[in-house]
Amino acid sequence: MNNDFISREIRLAARPVGVPGPETFELASTRVPRPGEGQIVVRNTWMSVDPYMREWMREEVSYAQPYRIGAPLLGSAVGEVVASQADSVPVGSMVTHFLGWREYALLDAADATVIDTTAAPAEAYLGPLGTTGLTAYATLTRVAPVEPGDVVYVSAAAGAVGSVAGQIARKLGAAKVIGSAGGPVKAKKLVAGFGFDAGLDHRAAPIGAQLAEAAPDGIDVYVDNVGGDHLRAAIEALRDHGRIGMVGAISSYNSTEPVPGPDNLFELAAKNATLRGMLVTSYLGLFPEWIERGAAWIADGSLHYEQTVFDGIERAPDAFLGVLSGANTGKMLVRLN
């Protein structure tokens, strides 16, 4: 009798040029064998899609191995252990791991993290309590630390990282928190749903002029998720000893030509300012600290988060394309059947 698990998965069918389309992905079925010594099989219940995945579809990635054509994509997922040959992770455990984009995953138990679903829902460990929440926390405490009284600006502020970053900035003592997003609905959501002082719609008018109006005396910290004109505007608005944390550059992920840098970059020198890159894998050691603080804030209701959910592994490409076009509020997730 064959006890393998039958799993559907999404594979990279072709490397996209410009904006990815349906031809980029392939839905396939495969057999997942029973675990060997020290291994587990996880039935994934939720998976994450994130903007960085577009970079991993390129043939060359500066900080990671690119996705392989014909192989399933990778990304964060949460699920239930349904078979185990590891005493440390028994059957029934809920875990997070990095073999998303598939319904069942075979992996070493050492590559999974057991989560406490009494502290927060399982899917929260892919959003506010996952690497997106950790990115916001590490950026504002280590990369571009917020000081009491600071004015903080966050781009892509209605997204998974940005929406949490604005709230953390407030908890760290920011006097004013400004966010930008695409469209009037999201701009209003920043204020009404996530507690920002001002929400800017970058589609309504040039972002530089809007930021100058919202922060006439300048900003101290910028959490950059967009790059491009948003980064230029932030440099222009930055005050002396300002800090910029470079988290993402979603405005350029689908570019087919090299993207020029801001033409005002040297203003950072005159302002004694810092612009520092942020790669979350360098801050994984902060996870226990962040989960302790973040879970407490979720429990007491002071950290609000939202999710945009697609159902079924076959909808994962649609969810991913939606994240690139800004279709999500909060974390974009796929709920697996």
Side-chain angles (χ1 to χ4, degrees):
M1 180 178 178
N2 194 320
N3 290 321
D4 291 355
F5 299 90
I6 305 300
S7 176
R8 294 183 299 165
E9 61 187 24
I10 301 294
R11 298 172 181 171
L12 183 67
R15 299 201 186 279
V17 177
V19 180
E23 70 282 356
T24 303
F25 308 95
E26 177 190 9
L27 176 65
S29 293
T30 188
R31 288 186 177 274
V32 176
R34 305 294 296 186
E37 187 66 30
Q39 292 184 317
I40 58 175
V41 172
V42 180
R43 179 179 63 83
N44 288 335
T45 54
W46 295 86
M47 56 162 278
S48 172
V49 294
D50 300 281
Y52 76 82
M53 295 173 174
R54 176 61 183 86
E55 287 289 275
W56 288 21
M57 292 177 182
R58 300 182 189 274
E59 194 164 5
E60 295 182 1
V61 182
S62 61
Y63 62 91
Q65 290 293 320
Y67 291 138
R68 293 186 296 111
I69 293 176
L73 282 74
L74 302 172
S76 296
V78 65
E80 180 184 2
V81 176
V82 293
S84 174
Q85 289 293 327
D87 292 340
S88 59
V89 188
V91 169
S93 301
M94 293 298 293
V95 299
T96 59
H97 59 89
F98 204 64
L99 294 184
W101 294 85
R102 66 202 79 191
E103 292 175 319
Y104 287 85
L106 171 68
L107 64 151
D108 291 341
D111 294 330
T113 300
V114 177
I115 59 174
D116 179 7
T117 55
T118 64
E123 62 269 25
Y125 288 87
L126 298 179
L129 298 183
T131 53
T132 49
L134 178 64
T135 297
Y137 182 71
T139 299
L140 292 172
T141 59
R142 304 302 198 275
V143 178
V146 173
E147 299 174 359
D150 278 348
V151 176
V152 177
Y153 169 47
V154 182
S155 59
V161 173
S163 59
V164 174
Q167 296 174 80
I168 292 174
R170 179 80 73 203
K171 288 180 174 294
L172 295 175
K176 188 173 187 178
V177 182
I178 302 164
S180 61
V185 174
K186 285 187 177 181
K188 291 177 181 177
K189 170 72 76 172
L190 296 181
V191 177
F194 298 119
F196 286 71
D197 294 292
L200 313 179
D201 175 7
H202 68 78
R203 297 175 184 167
I207 193 63
Q210 292 190 67
L211 182 58
E213 182 178 352
D217 297 323
I219 63 173
D220 300 286
V221 172
Y222 172 46
V223 180
D224 186 19
N225 295 301
V226 174
D229 59 343
H230 290 62
L231 177 56
R232 189 193 188 285
I235 293 173
E236 182 71 24
L238 210 61
R239 296 200 281 218
D240 197 46
H241 293 285
R243 286 89 66 202
I244 297 176
M246 297 188 70
V247 176
I250 196 169
S251 66
S252 65
Y253 287 164
N254 290 325
S255 299
T256 57
E257 300 291 337
V259 178
D263 60 9
N264 61 345
L265 192 63
F266 196 67
E267 286 187 23
L268 296 171
K271 295 178 177 183
N272 292 298
T274 60
L275 187 155
R276 186 175 175 186
M278 197 291 167
L279 193 61
V280 71
T281 50
S282 299
Y283 297 90
L284 297 181
L286 285 178
F287 246 137
E289 176 183 326
W290 165 238
I291 288 178
E292 181 180 358
R293 299 184 76 174
W297 290 337
I298 290 173
D300 68 21
S302 64
L303 179 62
H304 175 67
Y305 67 96
E306 294 195 14
Q307 300 166 162
T308 301
V309 177
F310 282 62
D311 281 298
I313 187 70
E314 66 278 3
R315 298 296 310 283
D318 296 329
F320 172 69
L321 298 179
V323 127
L324 293 182
S325 66
N328 59 302
T329 297
K331 181 67 177 178
M332 181 70 90
L333 294 174
V334 179
R335 179 167 42 207
L336 303 180
N337 299 327

